[in-house]
């Protein structure tokens, strides 16, 4: 992510309920509409770190994105080469494609 991300705009453009930016160690940088944002950043950071290590262990290339889908929504989290991370959370699973596409756009520019 070479460009600074406006998290409010990203949440608004995707229709996500909330979002956060943090580093791979789970240290919160910014959040929008999220209670317990520090805890959520720490948990998603740990998930990303574990998935990154698994991806390296199985020689599957660099980890770019993790998606968590449950009965009540979706979380899409991306990391860049400098281990900066963004996560978007939505309770509307039908927004999954938009979240995935927007995150790819943000992280590939």
């Amino acid at each position: 992510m070479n460009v600074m991300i406006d998290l409010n705009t990203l949440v608004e453009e995707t229709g996500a309920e909330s979002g956060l930016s943090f580093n791979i160690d789970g240290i919160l940088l910014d959040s929008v509409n999220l209670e317990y944002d520090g805890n959520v950043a720490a948990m998603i950071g740990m998930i990303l770190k574990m998935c990154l290590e698994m991806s390296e262990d199985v020689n599957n290339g660099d980890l770019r994105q993790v998606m968590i889908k449950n009965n009540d929504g979706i979380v899409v989290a991306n990391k860049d080469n400098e281990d900066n991370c963004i996560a978007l959370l939505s309770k509307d699973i039908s927004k999954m494609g938009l979240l995935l596409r927007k995150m790819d756009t943000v992280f590939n520019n």
Side-chain angles (χ1 to χ4, degrees):
M1 256 181 331
N2 296 334
V3 183
M4 194 68 178
I5 301 295
D6 181 347
L7 197 56
N8 283 308
T9 301
L10 189 59
V11 167
E12 186 178 308
E13 287 178 352
T14 60
E17 277 77 32
S18 55
L20 61 158
S21 63
F22 54 99
N23 67 23
I24 194 80
D25 294 320
I27 297 177
L28 180 69
L29 304 173
D30 191 16
S31 73
V32 175
N33 301 330
L34 192 61
E35 194 172 2
Y36 308 112
D37 51 2
N39 291 344
V40 175
M43 289 184 278
I44 297 175
M46 182 57 67
I47 291 168
L48 282 167
K49 194 177 274 192
M50 290 174 65
C51 290
L52 176 64
E53 290 173 5
M54 181 202 65
S55 185
E56 290 171 355
D57 287 350
V58 295
N59 235 0
N60 225 9
D62 292 333
L63 177 77
R64 292 185 3 193
Q65 186 174 68
V66 171
M67 181 187 70
I68 303 166
K69 179 181 167 229
N70 59 31
N71 291 337
D72 296 322
I74 183 170
V75 176
V76 176
N78 277 57
K79 70 170 247 5
D80 67 10
N81 292 334
E82 285 116 33
D83 289 339
N84 299 305
C85 308
I86 298 282
L88 296 175
L89 297 83
S90 177
K91 293 182 181 180
D92 184 351
I93 296 197
S94 69
K95 293 181 182 175
M96 178 172 53
L98 175 60
L99 294 176
L100 293 169
R101 188 181 68 199
K102 186 65 175 179
M103 292 289 261
D104 278 346
T105 301
V106 167
F107 279 79
N108 288 325
N109 286 336

